[in-house]
């Protein structure tokens, strides 16, 4: 009896390790609760729509496709804890995520232990791919291009030389602000201050710093997320400071207008690595299906998450065929994803040896006065190769 008991326990354990032969799961990791949930939900829903649309194709291949969303709460500790749960589910063969680079970097090191592929629609910190992990890829651009793109527009087009720079002390926000500063100073501009803050409600001390700064700043640059920048802008304008404002893709959410107020948000400049639906003709029909299914507008990171999920699905399909129509290993999927070349909604997707998209797009935008995010002005689109790409 003891031998039988041990055998049953061993089979049970083995069953968990092998998973289900005909089930393939794709996980998403993004903030689905807390102040950054608006952007995180776009990532989840964009990936979900792509997976729903691929279910029939994978059923014909003999597999049930399942989405498993995880809420990383924009918190590195939560992201890593989720990552450990994800790698212990053998049916999960790919991850779409994250929103925050500071969460993606430690979480992707957990995925790397088991060769679980990750395709990011949103992580822009250079370290995400500069570690050259074979399982980590991104289809969006990088901060060491996005920051300089913003600095060049500010210096050359807005004709500003003196900039008050703020960041949120995260890998994303501080890294982006440092790249902006570096390029601004190389052009001949000056950072009159470089201030890090985790404050989310009382910005009066920083606003007083801005008022007292010399030379007088002609632009405020904020490397951070809309949930922090929105209340900052509201308080800034309520205290009569009219200085123009610029940020990065962390501002790219309609929630920014709600938090800052329509009048206060109007005219804000931002760069983004995830352009609006209007920038991608092929995205129009998908955005209509998104609106019909979820009752919400598809925003930039929703589009990029849709493409990121389809990259994983293309790799999965190739790996299944290479494995003789059997369920592939995680390593086989990761290798197939790195070889994917496809035309997505956002353009050509093809990875270099580090996992960066060989050419990524960067967008310069300005918030509209109407309060409608889809009315924001697309000023310029720049397509550039990742630094150091081969």
């Amino acid at each position: 009896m003891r031998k039988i008991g041990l055998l049953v326990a061993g089979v049970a354990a083995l069953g968990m390790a092998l998973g289900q032969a005909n089930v393939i799961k794709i996980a998403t990791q993004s903030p689905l609760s807390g102040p950054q949930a608006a952007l995180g939900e776009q990532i989840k829903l964009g990936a979900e729509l792509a997976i729903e649309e691929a279910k029939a194709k994978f059923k014909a291949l003999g597999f049930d496709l399942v989405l498993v969303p995880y809420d990383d709460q924009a918190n590195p500790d939560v992201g890593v804890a989720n990552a450990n749960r994800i790698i212990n589910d053998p049916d999960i063969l790919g991850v779409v995520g994250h929103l925050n680079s500071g969460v993606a970097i430690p979480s992707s090191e957990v995925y790397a232990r088991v060769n679980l592929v990750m395709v990011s629609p949103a992580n822009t910190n250079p370290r995400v791919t500069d570690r050259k992990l074979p399982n980590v890829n991104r289809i969006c651009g990088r901060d060491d291009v996005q920051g300089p793109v913003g600095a060049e527009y500010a210096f050359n087009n807005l004709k500003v030389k003196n900039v008050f720079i703020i960041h949120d002390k995260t890998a994303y926000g501080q890294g982006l602000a440092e790249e902006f500063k570096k390029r601004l100073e190389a052009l001949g501009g000056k950072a009159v201050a470089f201030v890090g803050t985790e404050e989310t409600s009382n910005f009066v001390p920083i606003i007083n710093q801005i008022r007292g700064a010399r030379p007088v700043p002609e632009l405020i640059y904020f490397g951070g997320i809309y949930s922090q920048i929105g209340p900052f802008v509201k308080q800034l304008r309520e205290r009569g400071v009219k200085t123009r404002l610029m940020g990065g893709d962390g501002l790219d959410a309609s929630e920014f207008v709600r938090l800052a107020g329509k009048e206060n948000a109007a005219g804000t400049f931002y760069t983004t690595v995830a352009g609006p639906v209007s920038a991608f003709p092929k995205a129009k029909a998908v955005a209509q299906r998104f609106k019909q299914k979820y009752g919400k507008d598809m925003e930039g990171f929703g589009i990029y998450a849709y493409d990121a999920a389809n990259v994983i699905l293309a790799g999965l399909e190739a790996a299944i065929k290479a494995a003789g129509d059997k369920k592939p290993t995680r390593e086989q999927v990761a290798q197939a994803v790195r070889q994917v070349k496809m035309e997505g909604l956002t353009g050509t997707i093809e990875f270099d040896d580090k996992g960066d998209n060989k050419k990524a797009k960067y967008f310069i935008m300005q918030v509209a006065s109407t309060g409608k995010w889809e009315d924001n002005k697309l000023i310029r689109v720049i397509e550039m190769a990742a630094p150091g790409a081969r």
Side-chain angles (χ1 to χ4, degrees), residues 114-374:
V114 295
N115 301 306
L116 178 62
V117 72
M118 174 185 116
V119 178
S120 171
N123 298 128
T124 50
N125 188 285
R127 277 195 64 214
V128 171
T129 50
D130 282 355
R131 297 167 300 162
K132 296 188 174 181
L133 294 175
N135 64 310
V136 175
N137 312 275
R138 65 174 146 204
I139 63 170
C140 60
R142 301 163 49 111
D143 288 338
D144 49 1
V145 178
Q146 183 184 192
V149 163
E152 288 181 17
Y153 185 77
F155 188 86
N156 294 324
N157 297 84
L158 300 181
K159 307 296 182 187
V160 300
K161 291 186 177 178
N162 301 310
V163 183
F164 194 105
I165 302 175
I166 309 170
H167 63 81
D168 64 4
K169 294 187 176 181
T170 68
Y172 161 69
Q174 183 168 348
L176 180 63
E178 286 171 350
E179 296 293 344
F180 177 93
K181 178 175 181 285
K182 196 187 307 179
R183 185 61 183 150
L184 175 74
E185 292 177 340
L187 290 167
K190 179 181 176 63
V192 300
F194 190 80
V195 178
T197 179
E198 294 173 324
E199 180 60 55
T200 57
S201 58
N202 179 14
F203 293 98
V204 172
I206 288 183
I207 293 170
N208 288 337
Q209 274 186 267
I210 293 168
R211 280 177 159 155
R214 296 293 180 273
V216 175
E218 301 156 287
L219 180 77
I220 299 166
Y221 186 86
F222 202 140
I225 304 289
Y226 66 88
S227 54
Q228 186 185 29
I229 305 175
F232 164 75
V233 173
K234 187 172 189 292
Q235 293 176 34
L236 185 76
R237 300 304 186 220
E238 285 174 349
R239 283 158 179 78
V241 180
K242 306 290 187 188
T243 311
R244 289 180 289 187
L245 184 98
M246 177 181 276
D249 56 311
L251 260 180
D252 190 4
S254 55
E255 275 291 287
F256 172 63
V257 173
R258 187 184 69 79
L259 293 169
K262 184 174 73 174
E263 293 78 13
N264 300 324
T268 299
F269 295 94
Y270 63 98
T271 55
T272 183
V273 295
V277 172
S278 60
F280 305 113
K282 289 169 66 177
K284 186 177 178 181
V286 176
Q288 288 172 343
R289 296 200 296 274
F290 187 100
K291 177 88 173 185
Q292 192 172 26
K293 185 173 178 64
Y294 302 115
K296 298 181 177 184
D297 290 322
M298 194 178 203
E299 297 181 4
F301 287 117
I303 300 169
Y304 274 69
Y306 182 90
D307 268 2
N310 274 319
V311 168
I312 292 177
L313 292 170
L316 263 173
E317 187 177 356
I320 289 168
K321 290 176 180 173
D325 296 327
K326 294 179 180 175
K327 190 172 182 176
T329 66
R330 285 170 166 166
E331 186 173 10
Q332 288 169 333
V333 177
Q335 289 172 351
V337 165
R338 185 59 65 88
Q339 299 304 315
V340 165
K341 182 176 181 180
M342 60 174 274
E343 291 298 321
L345 300 180
T346 56
T348 302
I349 298 171
E350 182 180 13
F351 299 115
D352 64 17
D353 64 319
K354 293 195 295 187
D356 281 316
N357 199 357
K358 284 189 174 178
K359 281 192 175 180
K361 293 184 175 71
Y362 300 84
F363 306 82
I364 298 171
M365 306 286 299
Q366 187 174 27
V367 177
S369 60
T370 61
K372 297 179 180 176
W373 203 248
E374 62 269 25

Side-chain angles (χ1 to χ4, degrees), residues 48-129:
E48 181 177 291
L49 184 60
I51 289 166
E52 288 290 325
E53 293 177 351
K55 280 187 173 179
K57 177 192 275 190
F58 277 80
K59 190 71 177 174
L61 293 172
F63 299 98
D64 292 324
L65 210 51
V66 179
L67 174 80
V68 279
Y70 285 81
D71 178 6
D72 68 23
Q73 300 175 30
N75 181 314
D77 292 337
V78 176
V80 168
N82 286 345
N84 279 298
R85 293 187 191 96
I86 286 169
I87 65 171
N88 283 322
D89 182 342
D91 292 327
I92 297 179
L93 298 187
V95 179
V96 176
H98 297 236
L99 172 66
N100 308 88
S101 295
V103 184
I105 291 168
S107 299
S108 59
E109 289 171 2
V110 177
Y111 308 143
R113 289 183 211 152
V114 295
N115 301 306
L116 178 62
V117 72
M118 174 185 116
V119 178
S120 171
N123 298 128
T124 50
N125 188 285
R127 277 195 64 214
V128 171
T129 50

